[in-house]
Amino acid sequence: MELQLRLALSSNSDEGFDLNNRNQEQQVEDCRLMKKKRCFDETFGEIENVQVPQTLPLLDHIDLCVPGYGRNECDEEDGVVGWPPINSWRKRVCHQAHHDNRRGCITTNYVTVKNGGGGGGSGGGRSKSMHIKVKMEGVGIARKVDLSRHHSYQTLTDTLSAMFGDEKVQAYKLTYQDKEGDWLLAGDMPWGTFINSVQRLKLLRNGY
Amino acid sequence: MAYSFPEEVLEYVFAFLSSDKDRNAVSLVCKSWYEIERWCRRRIFIGNCYAVSPQIVIRRFPKVRAVKIKGKPHFADFNLVPEGWGAYLYPWISAMARSYPWLEEIKLKRMVVTDESLELISKSFKNFKVLVLSSCEGFTTDGLASIAANCRNLRELDLRESEVEDLSGHWLSHFPDNFTSLVSLNMSCLGSEVSFSALERLVSRCPNLKTLRLNRAVPVEKLPSLLRRAPQLVEFGTGAYSAEIQTDIFSNLVEAFSGCKHLKSLSGFWDVVPAYLPAMYNVCSRITSLNLSYATVQSPDLVELISQCPNLKCLWVLDYIEDAGLKALSSYCKDLQELRVFPSDPYGAEPNVSLTEQGLVTVSAGCPKLQSVLYFCRQMSNAALIAIARNRPNFIRFRLCIIEPQAPDYLTLEPLDTGFGAIVENCKELRRLSLSGLLTDRVFEYIGTHAKKLEMLSIAFAGDSDLGLHHVLSGCESLRKLEIRDCPFGHKALLANAAKLETMRSLWMSSCSVSYGACKLLGQKMPRLNVEVIDERGSPNSRPETCPVEKLYVYRTVAGPRVDKPDFVWTMDEDAALRLS
């Protein structure tokens, strides 16, 4: 797949996009980098009559969400600023709880949890999960899928169908970004190899 | 011809009017009533600090003793208002320092407060009594030190959820030794440790202390000492409620809590160790308000605590409570009026707890007095919402946040229009509503048709077209605040309902489709509105007129365009339109 690096100027449409109309992927990176809020284009999904050429993100995938960066200290907040609507006080508690979760306990070390952490599913065991961002071209909101729950491309496609709609997923092709930052077509590699190198997923319209 | 009452009698009668609505009505009767009323109004509420200027307020009401001012729009809580937007307190304090020397109370929400302002407050108002800073920012503990040192008659210092630059805990030690008037202290948002002995002495010498909300830095083993010194406490917030379990700490706590026969409200509970919760069981039967929203404790422990609180009226809790815990709540707490369930892991893709729509259905069925709900969950159905609406037609506040944007009814995959429609149709007294999930223009049709008492509406990722917004603006007669994000609303509904905006406090729209040209037009048409375009991409003139603005904040005002705008805010007015076109 030949990859092109360029900025595309928007064609004139009724909505009147700004001159910075770029590939949505790139916009998410830009938004995070410049502390911008969600860009207009992300919000409304499919933009009619506009050819969005295939471009690479201009920026490397840098983890910009370091603590203290801007006011957004919670590094799990991906994609949408200010959603879910919880204020900074609660975010700090969530951050704490999430860390505790990862360590496998809700409470401090001194007292064991009566319930053993089972049943409600709020105990540990999340350290093996593998949440990968999935974006569908034309859809503003990225989702996340836990790849550790899948063992084949088939089950993954089934889950994506449930998330984005069956007809859509069938009509799109699944690509992924590997550890080197390259975008490749999913399905060529054995599942095991794929799992080890996938960083994020993207569903692209056929024809590009 | 009717005799008119002497002024003094009228003034005496007006003194019994506490509601602003009543006083406003009275002042419209005739000129002399207007005059009498304005000289005896003691309390002012300013819902939007930019709707009026300090000068206008002072000119009309020369003898004010208490002010309450709100600054930034609500969505500032979720980082949607860029830093530096405004809402500065200083101009208000500097004006009031000159004109209201007898000012006693300042209550603020979402304002930028500096140490300079705090110092000016502490030195200007000799009888200053009450300072409440709710979700404010811009000050440090040095400012608090000024207040502590200089406000000899201070009764209330409440910093709820403010962002304070915490230089040290030393500020508390600035309360003089002969200072005894404290009634309420809420320092829960502060990070650093205050001198514990100074705190103990302060608590000891203030016999009227009714509210004490500590910060996280106060460890659990120190609580008994404070509780013993203040057995008259009505509201208490712990610090970190964790420590290595030791029997003497536990028994001290039990004894100390038992001594507090008037405790009604508990909060705090950071880092809580469940084994310490039973220390409070002795007071639970009187507890009416419980804030466990920082307590990372599992459902069974929560249920054990809640089951001891039959008089509970207000519960804030994390979703660790799960459906099972909410079921228990609905059976033990028949007096429950307000419930808030916050997400423990809002950014996780998968649910980490077993909390679903069922929990809310159960509580709405079992708690006949439930009237106010804030509920975060991951799935919802129209059937559940309809059941909730039928169970609980007495809702006045209904805020539902389904964590995934545009999530449909998980059973039918349909939009949640009919569910929310049932809420507004059944809950005729509904004043506040927050929507979420997959919603079309239809839900707005229901809202416009039925939600006649609705005052505040929050919308996100919803609707299909301007028709949706039009339903709301044309139908909701009582609407005061409307906040919208990420919806496909353009300018048509706005311009068609421009006059409506003058009857409201404010409108917020971000990541929608309102063009710059439309904003200019609105600003031109409506001189009594401030139409603020907030755009961090640079001047809107550098883009086509049809280009949508990032954020739009429209509010009615008698003060004209504000003069303290940062460089990413433009007010659309006649002059601007001419200048920029």
Side-chain angles (χ1 to χ4, degrees):
Chain A
M1 176 159 76
E2 208 186 305
L3 304 163
Q4 291 176 313
L5 257 182
R6 62 166 202 242
L7 283 178
L9 291 180
S10 64
S11 58
N12 256 337
S13 88
D14 288 343
E15 298 300 324
F17 302 115
D18 70 10
L19 294 176
N20 295 323
N21 182 16
R22 296 198 281 263
N23 173 288
Q24 283 167 8
E25 182 75 53
Q26 205 168 307
Q27 280 170 0
V28 174
E29 294 298 334
D30 283 355
C31 286
R32 284 165 66 170
L33 178 62
M34 291 189 269
K35 291 202 284 184
K36 268 163 41 175
K37 310 310 174 194
R38 271 171 64 74
C39 310
F40 163 72
D41 297 322
E42 285 191 305
T43 314
F44 303 112
E46 198 130 6
I47 302 155
E48 286 162 41
N49 304 323
V50 174
Q51 300 297 308
V52 181
Q54 185 58 32
T55 59
L56 263 192
L58 284 180
L59 307 162
D60 284 335
H61 179 59
I62 310 162
D63 185 18
L64 297 166
C65 290
V66 294
Y69 178 76
R71 292 193 62 183
N72 188 0
E73 294 192 326
C74 195
D75 60 326
E76 284 90 14
E77 189 172 317
D78 261 322
V80 186
V81 173
W83 192 267
I86 55 179
N87 65 29
S88 42
W89 287 105
R90 307 234 161 260
K91 275 192 208 161
R92 276 164 223 176
V93 177
C94 295
H95 204 72
Q96 200 82 51
H98 196 65
H99 275 311
D100 289 347
N101 254 337
R102 283 214 170 114
R103 287 203 313 262
C105 61
I106 300 273
T107 60
T108 61
N109 296 326
Y110 303 115
V111 178
T112 53
V113 175
K114 275 190 209 161
N115 219 15
S122 51
R126 292 194 67 202
S127 50
K128 295 212 179 94
S129 71
M130 209 184 146
H131 283 108
I132 301 286
K133 213 167 152 186
V134 187
K135 234 175 156 238
M136 174 177 260
E137 192 174 0
V139 175
I141 299 157
R143 306 274 181 123
K144 270 187 175 171
V145 66
D146 184 355
L147 285 184
S148 68
R149 296 197 174 188
H150 297 278
H151 307 286
S152 70
Y153 289 107
Q154 187 54 51
T155 58
L156 175 60
T157 321
D158 288 343
T159 301
L160 293 178
S161 290
M163 272 184 185
F164 291 104
D166 204 31
E167 334 74 48
K168 275 195 159 180
V169 172
Q170 300 303 336
Y172 282 52
K173 58 183 183 207
L174 182 62
T175 63
Y176 71 100
Q177 188 181 37
D178 70 4
K179 283 182 178 159
E180 275 93 63
D182 299 320
W183 284 91
L184 307 167
L185 202 56
D188 290 342
M189 310 248 159
W191 178 257
T193 323
F194 167 72
I195 279 276
N196 281 331
S197 75
V198 61
Q199 299 300 303
R200 50 167 83 178
L201 295 167
K202 190 162 184 188
L203 286 156
L204 293 177
R205 266 172 252 166
N206 274 322
Y208 281 112
Chain B
M1 181 165 159
Y3 294 102
S4 53
F5 283 129
E7 270 189 28
E8 297 79 16
V9 177
L10 278 172
E11 203 177 308
Y12 182 75
V13 172
F14 292 171
F16 290 96
L17 297 173
S18 51
S19 113
D20 281 340
K21 265 182 101 175
D22 290 341
R23 282 187 164 265
N24 291 345
V26 148
S27 47
L28 289 174
V29 167
C30 64
K31 283 191 182 146
S32 73
W33 280 39
Y34 176 92
E35 276 301 304
I36 297 165
E37 193 282 317
R38 77 183 188 91
W39 280 92
C40 71
R41 192 177 304 209
R42 297 281 174 262
R43 310 189 77 87
I44 299 277
F45 169 66
I46 297 160
N48 172 5
C49 63
Y50 290 120
V52 71
S53 72
Q55 290 70 31
I56 293 173
V57 175
I58 290 167
R59 196 169 61 222
R60 179 167 171 193
F61 300 113
K63 295 280 179 193
V64 163
R65 296 276 165 92
V67 291
K68 185 169 176 184
I69 312 175
K70 291 189 176 181
K72 299 185 206 173
H74 173 237
F75 273 177
D77 286 356
F78 317 127
N79 290 353
L80 290 181
V81 177
E83 197 129 339
W85 173 80
Y88 303 107
L89 177 66
Y90 193 80
W92 289 90
I93 299 301
S94 103
M96 294 192 297
R98 286 190 294 273
S99 307
Y100 295 152
W102 297 111
L103 192 69
E104 294 176 3
E105 282 183 28
I106 296 175
K107 294 184 181 175
L108 307 170
K109 191 163 188 180
R110 292 191 201 98
M111 293 207 62
V112 177
V113 178
T114 56
D115 285 347
E116 215 186 351
S117 302
L118 291 175
E119 198 179 331
L120 192 54
I121 290 171
S122 75
K123 302 220 164 114
S124 310
F125 309 116
K126 298 299 167 210
N127 204 24
F128 194 66
K129 295 195 171 116
V130 172
L131 183 63
V132 177
L133 302 175
S134 176
S135 303
C136 294
E137 52 160 359
F139 60 103
T140 78
T141 40
D142 285 352
L144 298 178
S146 307
I147 298 287
N150 299 316
C151 300
R152 297 305 166 107
N153 296 311
L154 192 71
R155 292 210 191 132
E156 250 181 81
L157 179 59
D158 186 335
L159 305 172
R160 53 181 88 155
E161 300 195 347
S162 289
E163 298 276 351
V164 185
E165 197 184 325
D166 209 322
L167 302 173
S168 86
H170 197 57
W171 65 273
L172 190 95
S173 310
H174 284 258
F175 282 112
D177 290 334
N178 60 358
F179 170 74
T180 58
S181 51
L182 200 61
V183 173
S184 169
L185 177 62
N186 179 354
M187 45 181 248
S188 52
C189 64
L190 297 178
S192 26
E193 209 175 317
V194 297
S195 149
F196 191 72
S197 56
L199 180 58
E200 274 181 325
R201 278 178 281 123
L202 178 65
V203 169
S204 290
R205 65 177 185 272
C206 294
N208 296 317
L209 191 66
K210 298 279 191 304
T211 299
L212 179 63
R213 303 228 192 251
L214 303 169
N215 64 344
R216 200 168 183 167
V218 180
V220 71
E221 60 265 21
K222 298 223 166 122
L223 297 184
S225 152
L226 291 171
L227 290 171
R228 270 196 289 273
R229 285 159 213 267
Q232 74 283 1
L233 277 179
V234 175
E235 299 181 327
F236 183 62
T238 75
Y241 207 69
S242 66
E244 212 168 288
I245 296 297
Q246 287 173 25
T247 23
D248 54 341
I249 296 180
F250 186 85
S251 54
N252 282 346
L253 263 180
V254 173
E255 200 194 313
F257 271 117
S258 305
C260 295
K261 308 276 185 218
H262 305 276
L263 265 184
K264 291 234 169 83
S265 163
L266 291 171
S267 63
F269 302 112
W270 288 280
D271 312 314
V272 63
V273 162
Y276 275 124
L277 290 175
M280 300 185 306
Y281 286 175
N282 285 338
V283 297
C284 282
S285 61
R286 284 182 290 267
I287 293 296
T288 56
S289 166
L290 201 49
N291 182 351
L292 295 166
S293 61
Y294 298 110
T296 49
V297 172
Q298 294 212 67
S299 184
D301 297 304
L302 290 168
V303 168
E304 262 203 61
L305 180 61
I306 287 166
S307 63
Q308 315 271 332
C309 306
N311 290 312
L312 199 60
K313 292 201 168 84
C314 175
L315 176 66
W316 290 21
V317 74
L318 286 170
D319 57 8
Y320 291 129
I321 193 169
E322 300 191 321
D323 289 343
L326 290 174
K327 187 165 177 198
L329 176 69
S330 72
S331 67
Y332 290 117
C333 303
K334 292 302 187 187
D335 266 358
L336 194 71
Q337 291 175 13
E338 178 177 332
L339 173 66
R340 296 195 193 192
V341 179
F342 295 98
S344 54
D345 185 19
Y347 306 114
E350 306 293 320
N352 61 325
V353 293
S354 177
L355 179 106
T356 69
E357 80 283 8
Q358 195 48 52
L360 187 55
V361 173
T362 313
V363 177
S364 70
C367 298
K369 299 190 187 166
L370 188 66
Q371 51 176 226
S372 177
V373 154
L374 169 61
Y375 198 76
F376 283 81
C377 61
R378 289 175 190 274
Q379 66 185 41
M380 188 49 64
S381 65
N382 284 310
L385 281 170
I386 292 167
I388 291 164
R390 293 207 179 124
N391 287 336
R392 210 49 35 234
N394 47 321
F395 274 131
I396 55 176
R397 268 173 237 111
F398 188 78
R399 297 159 70 186
L400 179 66
C401 179
I402 306 162
I403 288 176
E404 181 74 27
Q406 299 176 329
D409 176 325
Y410 78 101
L411 295 169
T412 64
L413 298 183
E414 282 171 0
L416 291 169
D417 299 336
T418 43
F420 279 106
I423 295 283
V424 292
E425 201 177 343
N426 284 284
C427 305
K428 304 207 193 301
E429 301 299 314
L430 196 68
R431 296 203 303 253
R432 184 167 179 184
L433 177 64
S434 300
L435 305 171
S436 58
L438 183 64
L439 297 164
T440 72
D441 282 347
R442 172 129 289 167
V443 73
F444 299 116
E445 195 182 336
Y446 295 139
I447 291 172
T449 308
H450 296 288
K452 295 305 181 188
K453 301 239 176 117
L454 193 67
E455 295 178 5
M456 182 168 177
L457 179 61
S458 309
I459 310 174
F461 306 105
D464 309 309
S465 74
D466 269 70
L467 193 56
L469 182 56
H470 175 70
H471 284 309
V472 171
L473 289 176
S474 58
C476 295
E477 290 160 7
S478 310
L479 197 63
R480 293 188 298 113
K481 289 180 279 185
L482 180 57
E483 46 185 27
I484 303 173
R485 64 162 297 176
D486 293 274
C487 295
F489 300 143
H491 61 265
K492 296 198 196 89
L494 264 190
L495 293 175
N497 292 282
K500 171 74 174 173
L501 299 176
E502 271 190 9
T503 69
M504 291 166 54
R505 180 186 297 172
S506 65
L507 165 70
W508 170 278
M509 290 177 77
S510 56
S511 304
C512 296
S513 300
V514 186
S515 68
Y516 176 49
C519 294
K520 285 201 285 188
L521 192 56
L522 187 63
Q524 272 178 304
K525 268 182 80 167
M526 312 293 298
R528 288 187 300 199
L529 295 178
N530 273 356
V531 178
E532 287 192 13
V533 167
I534 302 166
D535 210 314
E536 291 179 285
R537 296 172 297 180
S539 167
N541 289 304
S542 60
R543 292 179 290 278
E545 279 222 350
T546 45
C547 187
V549 300
E550 264 182 358
K551 295 165 197 198
L552 174 64
Y553 186 45
V554 181
Y555 54 91
R556 64 181 176 189
T557 181
V558 294
R562 56 185 178 110
V563 297
D564 61 359
K565 291 191 292 285
D567 59 11
F568 52 83
V569 174
W570 293 266
T571 307
M572 309 287 103
D573 57 14
E574 276 188 3
D575 292 347
L578 289 169
R579 253 187 289 120
L580 298 171
S581 61

